[in-house]
Amino acid sequence: MASATPKRSVAIFGSTGSIGTQALEVIRANTDMFEVDILTAQSNDELLVTQSLEFNPNAVVIGDESKYEKVKTALSKTNIKVFAGEKALEEVASFDTYDVMIAAIVGFAGLRPTLKAIENGKVIALANKETLVVAGDIVMQKSIEHKSAIIPVDSEHSAIFQCLVGESRNPIEKIILTASGGPFFGKKPNFLVNVKRDHALQHPNWSMGAKITIDSATLMNKGLEMIEAKWLFNLQPEQIEVVIHPQSVIHSMVQFEDGSLKAQMGFPDMKLPIQYALGFPQRIKNDFPRFSFKKYPALTFEEPDFKTFRNLGLAIDALQSGGNKACVLNAANEIAVWAFLKNRIGFLDITAVVEKTMEYVPFIQSPTLQEYFESDGEARNFAASMIKL
Ligand code: NAD
Ligand code: MG
């Protein structure tokens, strides 16, 4: 009798977030295929404990060290190893007990543990786009060196990845990233100047963490995704286009050298790209709602409004310049979005902070990893000084 396929052991970095919790839903529905080895969270100790009691991982990390005792006590009747702090994230990423890391930490904080998992030769299901935005050249180089496959979870990149299956000999002419346009699609600066946090947090099509929801409203998210795509698919900046597609049904497209376009479509539901990355190359049967063309009589497309949503232009500048520009853009954006979420600055100030920080931090053509970390720190300090944090 043929033996059953062994379960894939999954490490979820950022398990309490939007992507992390949806990844656990996928695993819960497929316990014959997947088991949980590592869970990590920054501050939501209660959810981390609940998840741990349900999925019984080998190890958990709570980022906030002041919550270590609480988590340790709550899990004292189990064999789960409990760690705390930033360094522990890298330590557990170096374990050889798991097969796939779901990189679902938000922001620059995801870079170090993801790099450790790559050096550890693991498969990376990558949601944390900032990892590639900050240091894409080094991340991709290491993934080749250590034979660590990076499978995108971001829906646009998953779409492109899916369109490329079976096309390894066929060069890409260009890719078209679709963007919903966010909650302020069609609005002008005289409206945006008064936008507040709660309005910006209401995305029309996707329910996501706070940072990416604001990035979607400012279109910075699409800019970060252009940079992410450059590294994932080895593209030149001019091969990457963005089109506004408010229904978010086409998740992105690839155009080949014969002019043929392939698109991947479906309901906007992150569980699909998460599941695809976890199961790749296999597609897993599920009961997610099916898309019906009859219910969507029109799919529409428009040019982005570069004049109003200037973050997109700044990201394209970073994409074209290369070097540490995208790292600086990302750091300034993280600080500015955080300040906006705390009602410290206005919506349009986010762009001003990013732009000024990009002008201020000196350009480095081919940064080392250390120089990326330094550029990130310098950009954060400058952005914070502008906001007077
Ligand atoms: P989220 O804010 O909902 O969750 C973030 C997770 O990271 C939480 O578990 C949190 O505890 C952890 N975390 C936060 N700060 C940390 C730190 N400093 N150190 C360690 N852990 C930390 O975010 P999300 O929406 O799930 O997004 C996660 C990543 O996935 C982001 O990079 C985002 O761009 C990307 N992504 C998300 C979606 C989505 O639908 N949510 C879609 C595409 C890509
Ligand atoms: Mg996306």
Side-chain angles (χ1 to χ4, degrees):
M1 213 174 77
S3 63
T5 321
K7 290 188 188 181
R8 297 188 96 187
S9 184
V10 184
I12 308 182
F13 281 62
S15 66
T16 52
S18 159
I19 293 288
T21 51
Q22 293 181 83
L24 285 171
E25 279 183 55
V26 168
I27 293 174
R28 187 183 288 120
N30 296 282
T31 46
D32 54 330
M33 300 179 69
F34 307 112
E35 63 192 7
V36 176
D37 189 63
I38 296 169
L39 295 174
T40 87
Q42 181 58 19
S43 51
N44 191 344
D45 54 296
E46 287 179 11
L47 184 54
L48 181 67
V49 166
T50 308
Q51 293 177 338
S52 303
L53 292 173
E54 177 181 352
F55 290 95
N56 193 29
N58 163 42
V60 300
V61 180
I62 180 81
D64 179 348
E65 296 184 41
S66 71
K67 297 191 166 168
Y68 172 75
E69 282 306 331
K70 240 177 118 185
V71 176
K72 180 91 186 137
T73 308
L75 297 179
S76 61
K77 291 205 174 77
T78 71
N79 291 325
I80 301 168
K81 301 182 194 79
V82 181
F83 302 90
E86 206 181 315
K87 273 273 152 225
L89 287 173
E90 290 181 68
E91 282 164 31
V92 299
S94 304
F95 284 2
D96 55 11
T97 46
Y98 69 99
D99 303 309
V100 190
M101 169 196 264
I102 302 187
I105 288 177
V106 59
F108 179 85
L111 174 61
R112 287 182 207 255
T114 306
L115 272 176
K116 274 283 178 263
I118 291 173
E119 286 163 3
N120 196 6
K122 300 302 178 188
V123 174
I124 311 293
L126 187 75
N128 175 246
K129 64 194 84 187
E130 294 92 343
T131 287
L132 286 177
V133 172
V134 171
D137 53 346
I138 292 180
V139 171
M140 294 314 289
Q141 185 52 42
K142 279 193 188 282
S143 86
I144 294 167
E145 249 169 61
H146 297 278
K147 298 191 172 55
S148 153
I150 300 182
I151 306 177
V153 167
D154 211 349
S155 58
E156 296 76 3
H157 306 74
S158 173
I160 291 161
F161 188 87
Q162 293 182 52
C163 290
L164 291 175
V165 169
E167 303 279 5
S168 60
R169 288 163 183 266
N170 295 321
I172 297 171
E173 191 167 82
K174 70 174 183 188
I175 63 163
I176 302 167
L177 296 175
T178 51
S180 70
F184 306 133
F185 172 56
K187 300 290 190 221
K188 296 292 169 196
N190 61 354
F191 175 90
L192 295 176
V193 73
N194 294 316
V195 153
K196 292 280 174 286
R197 165 186 202 279
D198 291 344
H199 192 181
L201 279 174
Q202 282 157 24
H203 194 281
N205 303 341
W206 301 94
S207 157
M208 311 177 284
K211 195 252 176 186
I212 185 176
T213 305
I214 302 303
D215 284 346
S216 299
T218 66
L219 285 204
M220 180 58 93
N221 183 50
K222 213 46 56 179
L224 300 179
E225 291 184 352
M226 292 177 82
I227 301 168
E228 180 186 14
K230 162 183 156 161
W231 295 117
L232 278 172
F233 306 114
N234 195 18
L235 299 170
Q236 297 302 314
E238 52 283 5
Q239 289 176 287
I240 308 168
E241 259 179 34
V242 170
V243 68
I244 304 289
H245 166 46
Q247 299 80 20
S248 298
V249 166
I250 294 185
H251 298 315
S252 279
M253 298 173 251
V254 179
Q255 181 170 307
F256 293 94
E257 290 188 316
D258 59 354
S260 181
L261 274 164
K262 269 179 154 181
Q264 188 267 339
M265 308 169 74
F267 271 128
D269 179 352
M270 285 309 294
K271 287 205 292 299
L272 197 55
I274 292 169
Q275 177 181 290
Y276 187 80
L278 276 179
F280 180 77
Q282 197 185 328
R283 288 189 185 272
I284 304 169
K285 192 173 158 65
N286 62 38
D287 58 4
F288 302 164
R290 273 29 180 175
F291 177 74
S292 158
F293 279 96
K294 292 178 198 149
K295 289 189 188 148
Y296 282 78
L299 299 182
T300 58
F301 306 93
E302 280 186 45
E303 275 286 312
D305 176 355
F306 286 96
K307 266 197 172 149
T308 303
F309 296 93
R310 292 200 307 116
N311 276 352
L312 196 51
L314 293 177
I316 292 173
D317 174 20
L319 171 74
Q320 289 169 342
S321 307
N324 63 341
K325 272 263 164 116
C327 169
V328 170
L329 166 106
N330 176 70
N333 183 57
E334 285 191 27
I335 294 289
V337 169
W338 181 85
F340 174 74
L341 285 169
K342 298 263 178 222
N343 296 317
R344 303 284 288 268
I345 62 172
F347 188 79
L348 295 177
D349 298 332
I350 299 175
T351 306
V353 170
V354 174
E355 187 171 39
K356 289 275 178 292
T357 309
M358 285 172 78
E359 283 163 15
Y360 173 81
V361 178
F363 182 66
I364 307 175
Q365 183 68 59
S366 301
T368 60
L369 190 56
Q370 185 55 33
E371 285 170 329
Y372 277 125
F373 291 134
E374 285 162 12
S375 295
D376 174 83
E378 216 175 321
R380 274 169 206 273
N381 287 339
F382 183 78
S385 72
M386 276 186 76
I387 300 165
K388 301 195 177 44
L389 292 177

